[in-house]
Amino acid sequence: MENFNKQLAEAFSTIKNKISKNYEVGVILGSGLGFFAKQIQVETEIPYEEIPNFPKSTVEGHSGKFVFGKVNGKQIVAMSGRNHFYEGYSIKQVVFGLKLMEKVGIKNLIVTNAAGGLNPRFKPGNLMIIDDCINFTFRNPLIGKNDEKEGPRFPDMSQPYSQELIKIAEEVSLETRVPTKKGVYLALTGPTYETASEVKMLQILGADAVGMSTVPETITCSHLGIKVLGISCITNLGTGISPHKLSHSEVSETANSVSENFSKLVTEIIGKI
Ligand code: HPA
C-alpha cells in the first residue's frame, strides 16, 4: 500500500509539471468510444508510457493517454484507454489512472463502457445510464490498509451513481433527443464473453447490461467522494439473446456507429455539471 502511494506520488509529480490548472470533470472512455476525445479543446496530452509507474499496457501498440482540455466551457481530463483486470493487472493497478485524476482535482467522473445487453428491451446501439451496479468480479480495489484521509474503511454503496448526475443526463437526453435507457450494470472479469447459461443467470440476478470494467472505478469513487455518472453503450445483445457469435469487432463497430449521439450527450452533460 505504501509502495502504491509512493508510485502514485511519483506518477503525479510528472503530471503536475505538465499541467497548470485544476480539472473538475474526469471522463473514462470505454472500448470503441475514444472518438469523444475529438470534442476536447486539447491543452495537454500525456501518453501513459511517459508517466512513471503507470501500469504497462499488455495490448500491442498504443497504451493510451490522458487528454487535458476544455469541453463546453469545463476543464476536463479524459482517459483515452483504460486498464482492465483481464489484462493481468492487480485490481489496484486497474484504478491507478483514476487515482491520478483525483489528484488533478476531479470532483465528478463520467465513466463509459461498451456492454452486452441483457434486458430484452435493449437493442445494439442503445445508450444506458447506469443507475446501480453488481460487482461480479469479486475483486475490490479497497482491499488492504485503509487511509482514513482518503475515505472510510466501509464505504456506503447505496447510491454508487450520483442521482444528481443521472437527473442531468436524463434532462440532456430529452433536450438533445438522444434517447437513453437506464439500468443495472454487472461487471465480470472477462476476457471471455458469457455463455448463454451465464447470460440467463445474470438476467435473473437483475442485471440489464454486462461488461468487464467500470465497477472498480465506481467503488474507488465512492471511497474518495467523487460523484459518478456511468454510461454504457450497448454494443451487442448477450450470448443466446443474440442469434450470432460475439466478436470484439462487432463491439467496436457498434460503439463507433453511435459516436455522434454519444458525443452530443456527453458534451451537453459536461456543460451542465
Ligand atoms: N459481455 C461482456 N462484455 C462486453 C460485452 C458482452 O456481451 N459486450 C461488450 N463488452
Side-chain angles (χ1 to χ4, degrees), residues 114-116 193-194 210-212 235-236 246 251:
Y193 292 119
E194 299 67 42
V210 57
M212 306 175 192
T235 51
N236 57 278
L246 291 188
V251 168

Side-chain angles (χ1 to χ4, degrees), residues 17-37:
N17 287 333
K18 298 188 186 219
I19 59 171
S20 54
K21 296 180 184 139
N22 251 6
Y23 292 85
E24 54 195 295
V25 181
V27 183
I28 300 179
L29 298 170
S31 291
L33 301 170
F35 50 73
F36 177 76

